[in-house]
Short mmCIF file of all heavy atoms in Angstrom, two decimals:
data_model
loop_
_atom_site.label_atom_id
_atom_site.label_comp_id
_atom_site.label_asym_id
_atom_site.label_seq_id
_atom_site.Cartn_x
_atom_site.Cartn_y
_atom_site.Cartn_z
N GLY U 365 -9.46 -72.84 -6.46
CA GLY U 365 -10.86 -73.25 -6.55
C GLY U 365 -11.46 -73.27 -5.16
O GLY U 365 -11.54 -72.25 -4.49
N LYS U 366 -11.84 -74.44 -4.67
CA LYS U 366 -12.35 -74.59 -3.32
C LYS U 366 -11.38 -75.34 -2.43
O LYS U 366 -11.71 -75.68 -1.29
CB LYS U 366 -13.69 -75.31 -3.34
CG LYS U 366 -14.80 -74.51 -4.02
CD LYS U 366 -16.13 -75.24 -3.91
CE LYS U 366 -17.26 -74.42 -4.54
NZ LYS U 366 -18.57 -75.11 -4.43
N GLU U 367 -10.18 -75.62 -2.95
CA GLU U 367 -9.21 -76.43 -2.20
C GLU U 367 -8.13 -75.57 -1.59
O GLU U 367 -7.70 -74.56 -2.17
CB GLU U 367 -8.60 -77.49 -3.12
CG GLU U 367 -9.61 -78.50 -3.65
CD GLU U 367 -8.93 -79.61 -4.43
OE1 GLU U 367 -7.87 -79.34 -5.04
OE2 GLU U 367 -9.46 -80.73 -4.43
N LEU U 368 -7.67 -75.99 -0.42
CA LEU U 368 -6.64 -75.26 0.31
C LEU U 368 -5.28 -75.92 0.09
O LEU U 368 -5.15 -77.15 0.19
CB LEU U 368 -6.98 -75.24 1.81
CG LEU U 368 -6.13 -74.36 2.72
CD1 LEU U 368 -6.24 -72.90 2.32
CD2 LEU U 368 -6.56 -74.54 4.18
N THR U 369 -4.29 -75.11 -0.23
CA THR U 369 -2.94 -75.62 -0.48
C THR U 369 -1.94 -74.92 0.43
O THR U 369 -2.25 -73.91 1.07
CB THR U 369 -2.52 -75.40 -1.94
OG1 THR U 369 -2.43 -73.99 -2.20
CG2 THR U 369 -3.54 -76.02 -2.90
N LEU U 370 -0.72 -75.47 0.48
CA LEU U 370 0.35 -74.90 1.30
C LEU U 370 1.60 -74.79 0.46
O LEU U 370 1.98 -75.73 -0.25
CB LEU U 370 0.61 -75.81 2.51
CG LEU U 370 1.76 -75.44 3.45
CD1 LEU U 370 1.52 -74.07 4.09
CD2 LEU U 370 1.93 -76.51 4.53
N HIS U 371 2.26 -73.62 0.51
CA HIS U 371 3.47 -73.36 -0.26
C HIS U 371 4.65 -73.22 0.71
O HIS U 371 4.65 -72.34 1.57
CB HIS U 371 3.32 -72.09 -1.10
CG HIS U 371 2.32 -72.22 -2.21
ND1 HIS U 371 2.69 -72.34 -3.53
CD2 HIS U 371 0.96 -72.27 -2.18
CE1 HIS U 371 1.61 -72.45 -4.28
NE2 HIS U 371 0.54 -72.41 -3.48
N LEU U 372 5.64 -74.10 0.56
CA LEU U 372 6.82 -74.11 1.40
C LEU U 372 8.07 -73.93 0.56
O LEU U 372 8.11 -74.34 -0.60
CB LEU U 372 6.92 -75.44 2.17
CG LEU U 372 5.71 -75.85 3.02
CD1 LEU U 372 5.93 -77.23 3.63
CD2 LEU U 372 5.43 -74.82 4.10
N GLY U 373 9.11 -73.33 1.14
CA GLY U 373 10.36 -73.09 0.43
C GLY U 373 11.47 -74.01 0.88
O GLY U 373 11.64 -74.24 2.09
N LEU U 374 12.23 -74.54 -0.08
CA LEU U 374 13.41 -75.36 0.20
C LEU U 374 14.60 -74.72 -0.50
O LEU U 374 14.98 -75.11 -1.61
CB LEU U 374 13.23 -76.80 -0.29
CG LEU U 374 12.51 -77.80 0.62
CD1 LEU U 374 11.05 -77.39 0.83
CD2 LEU U 374 12.57 -79.21 0.04
N PRO U 375 15.21 -73.68 0.11
CA PRO U 375 16.31 -72.96 -0.55
C PRO U 375 17.64 -73.67 -0.37
O PRO U 375 17.76 -74.65 0.39
CB PRO U 375 16.31 -71.62 0.19
CG PRO U 375 15.88 -71.99 1.58
CD PRO U 375 14.88 -73.12 1.42
N ASP U 376 18.65 -73.18 -1.10
CA ASP U 376 20.02 -73.61 -0.82
C ASP U 376 20.42 -73.07 0.55
O ASP U 376 19.98 -72.00 0.97
CB ASP U 376 20.98 -73.05 -1.88
CG ASP U 376 20.92 -73.85 -3.17
OD1 ASP U 376 20.76 -75.08 -3.09
OD2 ASP U 376 21.02 -73.24 -4.26
N GLY U 377 21.27 -73.80 1.24
CA GLY U 377 21.76 -73.32 2.53
C GLY U 377 21.35 -74.20 3.68
O GLY U 377 22.19 -74.89 4.27
N PRO U 378 20.05 -74.22 4.05
CA PRO U 378 19.64 -75.05 5.18
C PRO U 378 19.85 -76.54 4.89
O PRO U 378 19.63 -77.00 3.77
CB PRO U 378 18.15 -74.73 5.34
CG PRO U 378 17.96 -73.41 4.66
CD PRO U 378 18.94 -73.38 3.55
N SER U 379 20.27 -77.27 5.90
CA SER U 379 20.43 -78.72 5.76
C SER U 379 19.07 -79.40 5.76
O SER U 379 18.05 -78.80 6.12
CB SER U 379 21.28 -79.26 6.91
OG SER U 379 20.58 -79.12 8.14
N ASP U 380 19.06 -80.68 5.39
CA ASP U 380 17.80 -81.43 5.41
C ASP U 380 17.23 -81.48 6.82
O ASP U 380 16.01 -81.43 7.01
CB ASP U 380 18.03 -82.85 4.89
CG ASP U 380 18.25 -82.88 3.38
OD1 ASP U 380 18.20 -81.80 2.75
OD2 ASP U 380 18.47 -83.98 2.81
N GLU U 381 18.09 -81.58 7.83
CA GLU U 381 17.63 -81.61 9.22
C GLU U 381 16.99 -80.29 9.62
O GLU U 381 15.96 -80.26 10.31
CB GLU U 381 18.80 -81.92 10.17
CG GLU U 381 19.35 -83.34 10.07
CD GLU U 381 20.20 -83.56 8.82
OE1 GLU U 381 20.61 -82.55 8.18
OE2 GLU U 381 20.45 -84.72 8.47
N GLU U 382 17.56 -79.18 9.16
CA GLU U 382 16.99 -77.86 9.46
C GLU U 382 15.65 -77.68 8.77
O GLU U 382 14.71 -77.11 9.34
CB GLU U 382 17.96 -76.76 9.03
CG GLU U 382 19.21 -76.66 9.89
CD GLU U 382 20.22 -75.68 9.34
OE1 GLU U 382 20.43 -75.66 8.10
OE2 GLU U 382 20.82 -74.94 10.14
N ILE U 383 15.54 -78.18 7.54
CA ILE U 383 14.27 -78.08 6.81
C ILE U 383 13.20 -78.91 7.51
O ILE U 383 12.07 -78.45 7.72
CB ILE U 383 14.46 -78.54 5.35
CG1 ILE U 383 15.32 -77.54 4.59
CG2 ILE U 383 13.10 -78.69 4.66
CD1 ILE U 383 15.72 -77.99 3.20
N ALA U 384 13.56 -80.14 7.90
CA ALA U 384 12.60 -80.99 8.60
C ALA U 384 12.14 -80.35 9.90
O ALA U 384 10.96 -80.43 10.27
CB ALA U 384 13.22 -82.36 8.85
N SER U 385 13.06 -79.70 10.62
CA SER U 385 12.72 -79.04 11.87
C SER U 385 11.84 -77.82 11.64
O SER U 385 10.88 -77.59 12.39
CB SER U 385 14.00 -78.63 12.60
OG SER U 385 13.71 -77.92 13.79
N ARG U 386 12.14 -77.06 10.60
CA ARG U 386 11.36 -75.86 10.29
C ARG U 386 9.90 -76.19 10.04
O ARG U 386 8.99 -75.45 10.46
CB ARG U 386 11.97 -75.19 9.05
CG ARG U 386 11.13 -74.12 8.36
CD ARG U 386 10.97 -72.89 9.21
NE ARG U 386 10.42 -71.77 8.46
CZ ARG U 386 9.60 -70.88 8.97
NH1 ARG U 386 9.23 -70.96 10.24
NH2 ARG U 386 9.15 -69.87 8.23
N TYR U 387 9.63 -77.32 9.39
CA TYR U 387 8.27 -77.66 9.01
C TYR U 387 7.64 -78.73 9.90
O TYR U 387 6.62 -79.32 9.54
CB TYR U 387 8.23 -78.09 7.54
CG TYR U 387 8.70 -77.00 6.60
CD1 TYR U 387 9.62 -77.25 5.58
CD2 TYR U 387 8.25 -75.69 6.75
CE1 TYR U 387 10.05 -76.24 4.73
CE2 TYR U 387 8.68 -74.67 5.91
CZ TYR U 387 9.59 -74.95 4.90
OH TYR U 387 10.02 -73.94 4.06
N ARG U 388 8.23 -78.94 11.07
CA ARG U 388 7.75 -79.99 11.98
C ARG U 388 6.30 -79.76 12.39
O ARG U 388 5.52 -80.71 12.52
CB ARG U 388 8.64 -80.04 13.22
CG ARG U 388 8.29 -81.17 14.18
CD ARG U 388 9.22 -81.16 15.38
NE ARG U 388 10.62 -81.21 14.99
CZ ARG U 388 11.27 -82.31 14.64
NH1 ARG U 388 10.63 -83.47 14.64
NH2 ARG U 388 12.54 -82.26 14.30
N GLU U 389 5.93 -78.50 12.63
CA GLU U 389 4.59 -78.20 13.15
C GLU U 389 3.58 -77.88 12.05
O GLU U 389 2.51 -77.35 12.33
CB GLU U 389 4.67 -77.01 14.12
CG GLU U 389 5.48 -77.27 15.39
CD GLU U 389 4.78 -78.24 16.33
OE1 GLU U 389 3.57 -78.43 16.18
OE2 GLU U 389 5.46 -78.81 17.20
N MET U 390 3.91 -78.18 10.80
CA MET U 390 3.02 -77.81 9.70
C MET U 390 2.33 -79.01 9.07
O MET U 390 1.98 -78.99 7.90
CB MET U 390 3.80 -77.00 8.66
CG MET U 390 4.31 -75.69 9.21
SD MET U 390 5.02 -74.59 7.97
CE MET U 390 5.82 -73.38 9.02
N GLY U 391 2.12 -80.06 9.86
CA GLY U 391 1.42 -81.23 9.36
C GLY U 391 -0.09 -81.07 9.45
O GLY U 391 -0.79 -81.83 10.12
N PHE U 392 -0.62 -80.06 8.76
CA PHE U 392 -2.04 -79.72 8.85
C PHE U 392 -2.91 -80.71 8.08
O PHE U 392 -2.60 -81.08 6.95
CB PHE U 392 -2.29 -78.32 8.29
CG PHE U 392 -1.56 -77.22 9.01
CD1 PHE U 392 -0.43 -76.64 8.45
CD2 PHE U 392 -1.98 -76.77 10.24
CE1 PHE U 392 0.26 -75.63 9.10
CE2 PHE U 392 -1.31 -75.76 10.91
CZ PHE U 392 -0.19 -75.18 10.34
N GLY U 393 -4.03 -81.09 8.68
CA GLY U 393 -5.07 -81.76 7.94
C GLY U 393 -5.90 -80.73 7.20
O GLY U 393 -5.91 -79.55 7.55
N GLY U 394 -6.62 -81.15 6.17
CA GLY U 394 -7.47 -80.24 5.41
C GLY U 394 -6.84 -79.69 4.15
O GLY U 394 -7.47 -78.93 3.42
N LEU U 395 -5.57 -80.06 3.86
CA LEU U 395 -4.89 -79.58 2.67
C LEU U 395 -5.10 -80.55 1.50
O LEU U 395 -5.14 -81.76 1.69
CB LEU U 395 -3.39 -79.43 2.92
CG LEU U 395 -2.95 -78.45 4.01
CD1 LEU U 395 -1.46 -78.59 4.27
CD2 LEU U 395 -3.29 -77.02 3.61
N SER U 396 -5.22 -80.00 0.30
CA SER U 396 -5.32 -80.86 -0.89
C SER U 396 -3.95 -81.08 -1.54
O SER U 396 -3.70 -82.13 -2.13
CB SER U 396 -6.27 -80.24 -1.92
OG SER U 396 -5.74 -79.02 -2.42
N LYS U 397 -3.06 -80.08 -1.41
CA LYS U 397 -1.76 -80.19 -2.07
C LYS U 397 -0.74 -79.33 -1.33
O LYS U 397 -1.09 -78.30 -0.74
CB LYS U 397 -1.86 -79.71 -3.53
CG LYS U 397 -0.60 -79.91 -4.35
CD LYS U 397 -0.74 -79.33 -5.77
CE LYS U 397 -1.68 -80.15 -6.61
NZ LYS U 397 -1.67 -79.69 -8.03
N ILE U 398 0.52 -79.78 -1.39
CA ILE U 398 1.63 -79.00 -0.84
C ILE U 398 2.63 -78.77 -1.96
O ILE U 398 3.08 -79.72 -2.62
CB ILE U 398 2.32 -79.75 0.32
CG1 ILE U 398 1.34 -79.94 1.47
CG2 ILE U 398 3.54 -78.98 0.81
CD1 ILE U 398 1.85 -80.84 2.56
N TYR U 399 2.96 -77.50 -2.18
CA TYR U 399 3.96 -77.14 -3.18
C TYR U 399 5.29 -76.89 -2.48
O TYR U 399 5.38 -76.06 -1.57
CB TYR U 399 3.54 -75.88 -3.93
CG TYR U 399 2.33 -76.05 -4.82
CD1 TYR U 399 1.05 -75.74 -4.35
CD2 TYR U 399 2.47 -76.51 -6.13
CE1 TYR U 399 -0.06 -75.88 -5.17
CE2 TYR U 399 1.35 -76.65 -6.95
CZ TYR U 399 0.10 -76.34 -6.47
OH TYR U 399 -1.01 -76.49 -7.28
N LEU U 400 6.30 -77.61 -2.91
CA LEU U 400 7.66 -77.41 -2.39
C LEU U 400 8.43 -76.62 -3.45
O LEU U 400 8.76 -77.14 -4.51
CB LEU U 400 8.34 -78.74 -2.12
CG LEU U 400 7.65 -79.66 -1.11
CD1 LEU U 400 8.39 -80.99 -1.01
CD2 LEU U 400 7.55 -79.01 0.26
N HIS U 401 8.70 -75.36 -3.16
CA HIS U 401 9.45 -74.50 -4.09
C HIS U 401 10.93 -74.70 -3.78
O HIS U 401 11.43 -74.24 -2.75
CB HIS U 401 9.02 -73.05 -3.92
CG HIS U 401 7.60 -72.80 -4.29
ND1 HIS U 401 7.22 -72.17 -5.45
CD2 HIS U 401 6.44 -73.12 -3.63
CE1 HIS U 401 5.89 -72.10 -5.50
NE2 HIS U 401 5.40 -72.66 -4.41
N CYS U 402 11.63 -75.39 -4.69
CA CYS U 402 12.98 -75.88 -4.42
C CYS U 402 14.02 -75.17 -5.28
O CYS U 402 13.80 -74.92 -6.47
CB CYS U 402 13.06 -77.38 -4.69
SG CYS U 402 11.71 -78.35 -3.98
N ALA U 403 15.15 -74.88 -4.65
CA ALA U 403 16.29 -74.35 -5.41
C ALA U 403 16.97 -75.47 -6.20
O ALA U 403 17.62 -75.21 -7.22
CB ALA U 403 17.29 -73.68 -4.47
N ARG U 404 16.82 -76.69 -5.73
CA ARG U 404 17.36 -77.87 -6.42
C ARG U 404 16.48 -79.06 -6.07
O ARG U 404 15.77 -79.03 -5.05
CB ARG U 404 18.81 -78.13 -5.99
CG ARG U 404 18.96 -78.47 -4.52
CD ARG U 404 20.40 -78.75 -4.14
NE ARG U 404 20.53 -79.19 -2.76
CZ ARG U 404 20.54 -78.40 -1.72
NH1 ARG U 404 20.47 -77.09 -1.89
NH2 ARG U 404 20.65 -78.90 -0.50
N PRO U 405 16.51 -80.13 -6.87
CA PRO U 405 15.67 -81.30 -6.55
C PRO U 405 16.02 -81.85 -5.17
O PRO U 405 17.19 -82.12 -4.88
CB PRO U 405 16.03 -82.29 -7.67
CG PRO U 405 16.50 -81.43 -8.80
CD PRO U 405 17.20 -80.28 -8.17
N PRO U 406 15.05 -82.02 -4.30
CA PRO U 406 15.32 -82.51 -2.95
C PRO U 406 15.64 -84.01 -2.94
O PRO U 406 15.22 -84.75 -3.84
CB PRO U 406 14.02 -82.23 -2.20
CG PRO U 406 12.98 -82.21 -3.27
CD PRO U 406 13.63 -81.67 -4.50
N GLN U 407 16.39 -84.43 -1.94
CA GLN U 407 16.73 -85.84 -1.80
C GLN U 407 15.50 -86.63 -1.32
O GLN U 407 14.63 -86.11 -0.61
CB GLN U 407 17.87 -86.01 -0.79
CG GLN U 407 19.17 -85.32 -1.20
CD GLN U 407 19.78 -85.94 -2.45
OE1 GLN U 407 19.81 -87.16 -2.58
NE2 GLN U 407 20.24 -85.10 -3.37
N ALA U 408 15.47 -87.91 -1.71
CA ALA U 408 14.33 -88.77 -1.37
C ALA U 408 14.09 -88.85 0.14
O ALA U 408 12.93 -88.81 0.58
CB ALA U 408 14.53 -90.15 -1.97
N PRO U 409 15.14 -89.00 0.99
CA PRO U 409 14.88 -89.07 2.44
C PRO U 409 14.17 -87.84 2.99
O PRO U 409 13.33 -87.96 3.88
CB PRO U 409 16.28 -89.23 3.03
CG PRO U 409 17.10 -89.84 1.95
CD PRO U 409 16.57 -89.24 0.68
N LEU U 410 14.52 -86.66 2.47
CA LEU U 410 13.85 -85.44 2.93
C LEU U 410 12.39 -85.46 2.53
O LEU U 410 11.50 -85.12 3.35
CB LEU U 410 14.54 -84.20 2.37
CG LEU U 410 13.86 -82.86 2.69
CD1 LEU U 410 13.76 -82.64 4.20
CD2 LEU U 410 14.61 -81.70 2.03
N LEU U 411 12.09 -85.86 1.30
CA LEU U 411 10.70 -85.93 0.86
C LEU U 411 9.92 -86.93 1.71
O LEU U 411 8.76 -86.67 2.08
CB LEU U 411 10.63 -86.32 -0.62
CG LEU U 411 11.12 -85.27 -1.62
CD1 LEU U 411 11.06 -85.82 -3.04
CD2 LEU U 411 10.29 -83.99 -1.52
N ASP U 412 10.55 -88.05 2.04
CA ASP U 412 9.88 -89.04 2.88
C ASP U 412 9.58 -88.47 4.27
O ASP U 412 8.51 -88.71 4.84
CB ASP U 412 10.74 -90.30 3.02
CG ASP U 412 10.83 -91.10 1.73
OD1 ASP U 412 9.96 -90.90 0.86
OD2 ASP U 412 11.77 -91.90 1.58
N THR U 413 10.53 -87.69 4.80
CA THR U 413 10.32 -87.07 6.11
C THR U 413 9.16 -86.09 6.07
O THR U 413 8.31 -86.06 6.97
CB THR U 413 11.60 -86.34 6.56
OG1 THR U 413 12.66 -87.28 6.69
CG2 THR U 413 11.38 -85.65 7.90
#
Side-chain angles (χ1 to χ4, degrees):
K366 294 184 178 181
E367 296 186 329
L368 188 62
T369 65
L370 176 61
H371 292 254
L372 305 176
L374 275 64
D376 281 323
S379 66
D380 287 359
E381 291 75 16
E382 289 173 318
I383 291 172
S385 177
R386 166 68 168 145
Y387 299 133
R388 185 180 305 279
E389 295 290 342
M390 297 189 192
F392 299 104
L395 299 171
S396 66
K397 186 183 289 188
I398 297 171
Y399 292 94
L400 301 176
H401 296 255
C402 313
R404 63 179 185 279
Q407 298 295 317
L410 175 59
L411 290 177
D412 290 341
T413 299

